[in-house]
Amino acid sequence: MLLLRCQLKPAPPQKVPCRLWAVMGKLQSKLRHSTYKYSRPDGIIEERTSTKASQEYSLAHLDPVSVVATLNSDLCVSGGKDKTAVAYNWKTGNVVKRFKGHEREITKIACIPKSSQFFSASRDRTVMMWDLHGSSQPRQQLSGHAMVVTGLAMSPDSSQLCTGSRDNSLLLWDVRTGQCVERASVSRNLVTHLCWVPRESYILQTSEDKTIRLWDSRRLQIAHMFPTKQHIQTHCEVSVDGHRCISCSSGFGGEGCEATLWDLRQTRDRICEYKGHLQTVASCVFLPRSLALLPMIATSAHDSKVKIWNQDTGACLFTLSLDGSGPLTSLAVGDTTSLLCSSFHRGVHLLRVDHSQGLELQEVAAF
C-alpha cells in the first residue's frame, strides 16, 4: 500500500453569517448584523459590530411594500403592490384590519393625527379615506388626477388634504366635504412626495424635475423654489419646529444617493449634505429629540441600508444593513425609541435606537 502525504495550507479565515431560527407558531427569531463607523478626535476611524436577535412574524404583505406610516403610538398602516392597506399593532405584530378597494398598487399613505382615519393614494389615480373603526369600505373616494397619485399631505388642522401626481398637478381637497377646492399645474412637475409645514400654510414638494418647491396653500401658488439638484428628488420631510427640511435623491453607485438639509426660514439656503448610500435614497426623517441625544436624521435606501446622521455635521453615526430585504422604500417614526421601515422583500421592519452602549440601531422585528 502506497502512503501519500501532502501538506495543506490553511485556508484564510472567512466570515460566516450566523443564523438562528426558532419556530414558535408564526414567530421566528433571527440573528441580524449591524455596524457603524465613527471618527475619534485623533482622526482614527473605528468600526463596531453587533449581532442582535430579531423576531419575524407572518408578513402582512406578500408583495413589495411601498409605504408605511404611523397611525398612533401602537398602530401603523402600510400599503404596497398587493393593493391592500394593512393596519397592525407594530408592538405585537398582530394585524388589526385590512382595507381593500384600490385597483392598483398603493403608493402613499397619510394619517389624520389623533384619529383612527387615514388616506391612501394609488396608481389607479384615486385617493381613498379609511376609518379603522368603521366598515371595510372607504369613507371617501377622491378622483381628480389623470395619472398615478404620488403625493399626500395633511394640513396641520386636518381640514385639508393636498394630493400630487405624475400628471404635473397638485389638488387641494376639503376633507369634510371631499370636494376639490384648488388646482395647480406646472409643466414637467412630476410629483414624488408632499409634506405640510407644521403650523403653517405651506406645502413642501419634491419632483422628478430635480426641484423642490414650497407652495402657499391659500391660493395653491409657488412661494419658493430651492436650487435645482443634479438628481431626481424622491422624498421630503419638515422638522417639527418647521424651521428646516430635508430632501433625498435618486442615484446609483454612490453618485447622487444623498440627502440634503435646507433652511425654511429667511435665507432658505442649503445647510448640509449626507452622502454614503450606494443607491437611491427613498426616504428621510428627522429623529425626535426624545429619541436622539443630539439633532439627527435617518435615511433608508435601495441599497438595503438605514443610516443615522449627525444633522449638523453630516457625519454618518450608524449604518444598519437589512440583508435580504431588497430596496427600502419608506421610513416612519414609531415612538420615542422606534422607527418603522418598509421593504420590497421582507415587509415592514421595526427598528430600535439604543443609547445604552453608544448609539446603535437594531432590527427587533419584521412583519
Side-chain angles (χ1 to χ4, degrees), residues 228-242:
T228 302
K229 298 284 288 180
Q230 293 185 340
H231 296 83
I232 290 172
Q233 298 300 287
T234 58
H235 188 89
C236 56
E237 187 81 8
V238 180
S239 60
V240 175
D241 59 15

Side-chain angles (χ1 to χ4, degrees), residues 36 38 48-50 52 293 318 353-362:
Y36 76 82
Y38 63 95
R48 184 173 160 198
T49 304
S50 63
K52 301 292 181 182
L293 300 180
F318 196 93
V353 179
D354 184 12
H355 294 284
S356 60
Q357 296 181 346
L359 177 68
E360 188 173 4
L361 184 64
Q362 305 168 4

Side-chain angles (χ1 to χ4, degrees), residues 75 116 151 253 296 308:
L75 302 178
S116 59
M296 298 180 191
I308 294 181

Side-chain angles (χ1 to χ4, degrees), residues 58-65 81-82 98 344-347 367:
S58 298
L59 295 180
H61 301 270
L62 298 180
D63 292 312
V65 181
K81 195 173 181 179
D82 61 4
R98 296 180 181 271
F344 262 43
H345 302 318
R346 290 184 56 236
F367 311 105

Side-chain angles (χ1 to χ4, degrees), residues 50 62 65 70 82 168 189 202 207 240 244 307:
S50 63
L62 298 180
V65 181
T70 306
D82 61 4
N168 305 324
N189 182 31
Y202 295 103
S207 172
V240 175
R244 296 181 174 187
K307 290 180 179 288

